[in-house]
Amino acid sequence: MNIKKRFFLGAALLISVLFLGCSLATEKETDEENGGVRVQLNIGFARTVMPSGFLNATYTLTGTHSGESTVLIKDKSALDLQKQTVWLEGGTWSFTLDAYNGSTKIATATLSDQTISSSSTTLTFTFSGVTFDYASGTGGTNVTLTFSASAQVAAATAQLYNADGTENGSYALTALTPATYSDSLQCVTFTNTSIASGSYLLVFYLYQDAEKTMQIGQWREIVNIADGCESSAVINIPNLNTVYTITYVLNGLAWADGFTAPSSFNASQGVTLPVAANFADGADFAGWYAASDFSGTAVTSFAAGDYATNVTFYAKVEKTTGEVDWTYPTAAPTLTWTGEGTLNNPYVITTSQQLADFAYMVNNGTTYSGNYITLGADIDLNYGSTVTDASASYSQWKPIGGSSYAFQGSFDGNSHTVKGLYINSSCSYAGLFGSVSSSSAVVQNVTVQGYMKVTNGYYVGGVVGEHSSGKLVNCANKVEIIATMGSGSKYGCGGVVGYQYSSSLKNCVNYSNINANMTASYTLNVGGVCGYNDCNTISSCENYGDVTGTSSSVCIVGGIVGYAYSTSIYNSISSGAIKGKAGSTSYTGGVFGNTYSTYAENNAFYGTVDGSGTSIYLRGIGYASTASATYQGCNYFISTSGATASSVGGFVGTFTLATDQITAYGSTTLDYTGTLLEVLNAWASANSSSSYSTWKAGTDGWPVLSDITWTK
């Protein structure tokens, strides 16, 4: 055989093509001496996934031309194949690539009738019978990060996170030792041979000192792990520099739920800044500026190398609806809202001043019984500020209704948000509404955002302080609440409503942390959605905030409701850290803290419960102080919550992950089987005549109610 052409073969590249579908670059040059062609396959190893047997294999390449077979490359590793050079004669060739584990052949790939000429194309070998399982089993990863030796990296660490960047408790921070990669490059390598299949974020942290106090860079890579396979990569950082931070001054805007803005960069990275769609109130966003006075031109992005320092960008806000400033009236105001207050032509509030006027009217005796009020726009009570803590510069809200007068009409937020609600004072009835009381009273379809630090609070809730009769539907709380409660056994603090009597609470959700305390010798009642619930129904509600109660006496804390008296609780879910710290007895439950004559069905909890006191009751669902409480076989809680499983007489199932099958506790026979999502929906479907909400998987895999438009 006349072997005249040079054939550069990277077998590992071919394997990476097999499994990842990478496109190969082919370089062709005329061989002037022989009048032929040089063919070179030239692709790197980055982001290669292979079965571990193939990584450890040796490879032999055989070519057949004009009826004669020749071994072209023999017993080479995947890495060594990239360094081989072979001369081939022009014409029609067939190739065989064999992979060996020792002397055992583990796979063969063939190519037939390949024309080697000046028009040669890339050769791609396919090993048959190789499959990848990214959903079960375990695999490994071997990722090498290279960088200039002049970067003087003295120490490094790496850690696997969940793909969304959240902590993964199964994988700890790993110390790495910098090593020489080549004459000009250093490297660090992260290796783990036992990782559950799936996608992860691998983060390298690089330091200039052995004590790891001077971080000079970090690198992030998505790693996909398949069962029995190894995910490998060699990644070069051409410019290793300090990681710089990006600070955003929002000037009263708020990020859209679920959006995370870029927060850092290094000299080799450019950044695209957030756009209007990334804000909850994007219509007001008018661009980013490097100067706080908005001088110069707006910045939409910057390229690698544009900045070598920490940067701050200021959001310019141009209000599109309503007035910016407001004051609480000192006398009866001239009302400027539109409408007639009827069902078909309600009063429409579009500005912060109109909302303050509305509060004044209710607080001075106009109950609006039989009237309809709706929001026509988002309302910002502290325009230009993101209210998340205490500040003397904020305008304080005076709740709608209180001890003297209550709102008795129908209020529809029309899916709008009241932002910047701020209360930092002694306030007996605290919330957007202080008091709502009437069998026909309705508060619905509104989100409240802000911060409350209340002293002498009797009824404290983000949306409503006290709610008697009527309906509270489709409301969301994003107000952080810190409350010192006044003296009284029935007073309560909750994310959505503090105290509720003889009224329905449906499709409401709390996202913020609730922290209440009482120093007097009275019982403290704290809940994620409702503090104290008296003689009514709670259905299809959610809590995602941490709920903490601290009392010198008795403390009752629940994820959905603190104390439930003669209450029916259906189809609700809670997470977060639920804590009850008592001087004497502590009742802490994932759904409710304590109950009298309550019926609970199809509720779930996947947070943690903790308590302190002389007597401590930690419950996955709740504690029943009387035998008149009734539970059905459809209440479930996470087995890692720290709760006692026997809390509801055995009518309970447990799980450890959202995707786990529910396991019956003790001798209980569960009404439904499946994952948490499946059993919740099975119950909701069986009770569809009662119009209970169904469930869907949220972005984190845990169930969320389909009817609730608010997001985590």
Side-chain angles (χ1 to χ4, degrees):
M1 174 186 296
N2 185 8
I3 303 176
K4 290 186 175 180
K5 307 298 185 296
R6 284 192 300 177
F7 181 32
F8 285 74
L9 175 66
L13 311 175
L14 301 176
I15 295 172
S16 70
V17 171
L18 291 174
F19 303 135
L20 296 182
C22 300
S23 59
L24 294 180
T26 302
E27 178 187 353
K28 310 180 188 69
E29 296 180 4
T30 300
D31 185 337
E32 297 180 356
E33 177 184 352
N34 298 289
V37 174
R38 183 179 73 176
V39 179
Q40 183 176 7
L41 304 183
N42 187 22
I43 299 295
F45 264 100
R47 299 170 185 82
T48 301
V49 178
M50 299 185 196
S52 56
F54 283 71
L55 285 170
N56 301 324
T58 58
Y59 295 87
T60 296
L61 178 67
T62 303
T64 302
H65 174 61
S66 299
E68 184 178 352
S69 294
T70 302
V71 175
L72 304 175
I73 301 174
K74 182 176 177 60
D75 296 336
K76 296 297 182 181
S77 69
L79 181 62
D80 287 340
L81 283 174
Q82 297 184 54
K83 305 174 183 178
Q84 303 304 301
T85 300
V86 177
W87 289 84
L88 297 180
E89 183 179 9
T92 301
W93 285 76
S94 294
F95 300 96
T96 300
L97 183 65
D98 294 315
Y100 291 88
N101 185 355
S103 60
T104 303
K105 185 188 295 186
I106 60 174
T108 297
T110 60
L111 290 175
S112 301
D113 301 327
Q114 302 295 307
T115 300
I116 300 300
S117 68
S118 60
S119 60
S120 293
T121 58
T122 297
L123 303 179
T124 301
F125 293 89
T126 301
F127 288 114
S128 60
V130 178
T131 60
F132 292 86
D133 183 357
Y134 290 96
S136 60
T138 60
T141 187
N142 187 307
V143 180
T144 296
L145 196 66
T146 69
F147 38 84
S148 173
S150 64
Q152 299 181 350
V153 175
T157 58
Q159 187 164 4
L160 283 173
Y161 296 86
N162 296 320
D164 62 0
T166 58
E167 291 278 351
N168 187 314
S170 299
Y171 306 106
L173 190 70
T174 301
L176 306 177
T177 302
T180 299
Y181 186 80
S182 67
D183 289 342
S184 60
L185 296 177
Q186 279 187 301
C187 71
V188 290
T189 299
F190 175 81
T191 301
N192 189 323
T193 59
S194 181
I195 304 173
S197 296
S199 293
Y200 299 86
L201 176 67
L202 173 60
V203 182
F204 288 88
Y205 303 93
L206 306 174
Y207 300 89
Q208 208 155 36
D209 64 324
E211 294 75 24
K212 304 184 185 70
T213 62
M214 295 183 292
Q215 187 180 120
I216 59 172
Q218 62 175 251
W219 195 266
R220 298 166 176 250
E221 282 290 315
I222 290 294
V223 176
N224 296 307
I225 304 298
D227 183 34
C229 299
E230 180 171 287
S231 177
S232 65
V234 176
I235 304 152
N236 180 255
I237 306 178
N239 297 300
L240 177 58
N241 294 286
T242 303
V243 173
Y244 302 113
T245 61
I246 305 174
T247 299
Y248 301 93
V249 179
L250 299 184
N251 289 319
L253 299 179
W255 299 122
D257 287 330
F259 174 74
T260 301
S263 60
S264 63
F265 66 98
N266 61 35
S268 62
Q269 293 176 299
V271 174
T272 298
L273 298 179
V275 297
N278 301 136
F279 293 95
D281 35 15
D284 296 344
F285 176 66
W288 293 109
Y289 289 81
S292 59
D293 62 357
F294 311 115
S295 59
T297 58
V299 181
T300 58
S301 63
F302 59 87
D306 283 356
Y307 294 99
T309 184
N310 298 335
V311 295
T312 299
F313 293 106
Y314 300 85
K316 186 176 182 180
V317 180
E318 294 180 350
K319 191 69 173 177
T320 57
T321 57
E323 297 172 357
V324 173
D325 299 319
W326 65 276
T327 57
Y328 188 79
T330 57
T334 300
L335 302 179
T336 60
W337 56 55
T338 61
E340 298 177 347
T342 64
L343 176 62
N344 295 323
N345 188 17
Y347 296 129
V348 180
I349 292 175
T350 60
T351 73
S352 53
Q353 186 59 58
Q354 289 175 348
L355 191 66
D357 293 345
F358 171 49
Y360 176 92
M361 297 300 292
V362 173
N363 294 335
N364 285 273
T366 305
T367 64
Y368 291 96
S369 177
N371 289 141
Y372 295 82
I373 298 95
T374 186
L375 293 184
D378 287 351
I379 304 295
D380 196 336
L381 296 175
N382 273 284
Y383 181 76
S385 300
T386 302
V387 176
T388 58
D389 55 10
S391 173
S393 65
Y394 296 151
S395 297
Q396 291 219 48
W397 177 245
K398 189 166 186 178
I400 304 167
S403 58
S404 298
Y405 302 101
F407 174 67
Q408 298 180 14
S410 178
F411 177 88
D412 190 341
N414 200 22
S415 297
H416 286 296
T417 298
V418 177
K419 296 178 291 185
L421 186 143
Y422 180 68
I423 298 174
N424 185 5
S425 64
S426 173
C427 189
S428 300
Y429 296 74
L432 174 64
F433 287 84
S435 179
V436 177
S437 177
S438 170
S439 60
S440 60
V442 177
V443 175
Q444 61 184 350
N445 304 324
V446 66
T447 297
V448 181
Q449 179 277 327
Y451 178 87
M452 296 197 314
K453 188 174 183 180
V454 176
T455 56
N456 196 34
Y458 293 161
Y459 308 106
V460 181
V463 180
V464 179
E466 177 202 33
H467 189 249
S468 298
S469 303
K471 298 178 181 178
L472 188 56
V473 183
N474 294 337
C475 294
N477 176 60
K478 296 183 179 180
V479 176
E480 180 180 356
I481 299 175
I482 301 173
T484 300
M485 304 301 290
S487 302
S489 60
K490 285 192 175 182
Y491 302 148
C493 175
V496 176
V497 57
Y499 173 82
Q500 178 143 302
Y501 172 77
S502 190
S503 52
S504 63
L505 180 63
K506 182 178 181 181
N507 280 23
C508 290
V509 56
N510 172 62
Y511 297 104
S512 292
N513 295 337
I514 311 300
N515 193 321
N517 70 85
M518 178 178 284
T519 57
S521 297
Y522 290 91
T523 299
L524 175 64
N525 307 292
V526 191
V529 175
C530 176
Y532 189 115
N533 195 77
D534 195 348
C535 300
N536 71 294
T537 299
I538 297 175
S539 63
S540 302
C541 290
E542 299 171 321
N543 169 62
Y544 300 107
D546 295 340
V547 184
T548 304
T550 304
S551 173
S552 59
S553 182
V554 177
C555 189
I556 302 176
V557 185
I560 297 295
V561 57
Y563 186 75
Y565 180 87
S566 190
T567 299
S568 296
I569 307 174
Y570 299 101
N571 206 41
S572 296
I573 196 167
S574 175
S575 64
I578 316 301
K579 301 178 182 179
K581 305 174 183 179
S584 57
T585 307
S586 170
Y587 302 97
T588 307
V591 176
F592 56 86
N594 194 1
T595 183
Y596 175 87
S597 187
T598 283
Y599 187 96
E601 189 167 3
N602 206 47
N603 303 292
F605 174 63
Y606 62 93
T608 60
V609 293
D610 190 14
S612 60
T614 56
S615 299
I616 305 170
Y617 301 91
L618 304 179
R619 302 300 189 238
I621 301 299
Y623 178 81
S625 59
T626 64
S628 57
T630 305
Y631 308 93
Q632 292 298 299
C634 332
N635 291 296
Y636 320 99
F637 71 91
I638 194 164
S639 57
T640 57
S641 64
T644 303
S646 60
S647 55
V648 289
F651 295 108
V652 71
T654 62
F655 54 92
T656 56
L657 296 171
T659 54
D660 286 345
Q661 296 285 300
I662 299 294
T663 301
Y665 175 75
S667 59
T668 301
T669 300
L670 295 177
D671 291 351
Y672 307 99
T673 59
T675 66
L676 182 59
L677 178 64
E678 291 169 341
V679 297
L680 290 174
N681 272 333
W683 182 91
S685 176
N687 293 273
S688 58
S689 60
S690 299
S691 301
Y692 292 113
S693 299
T694 56
W695 300 83
K696 62 183 179 181
T699 56
D700 57 1
W702 292 100
V704 295
L705 287 163
S706 301
D707 289 354
I708 292 182
T709 58
W710 329 112
T711 57
K712 290 185 185 179

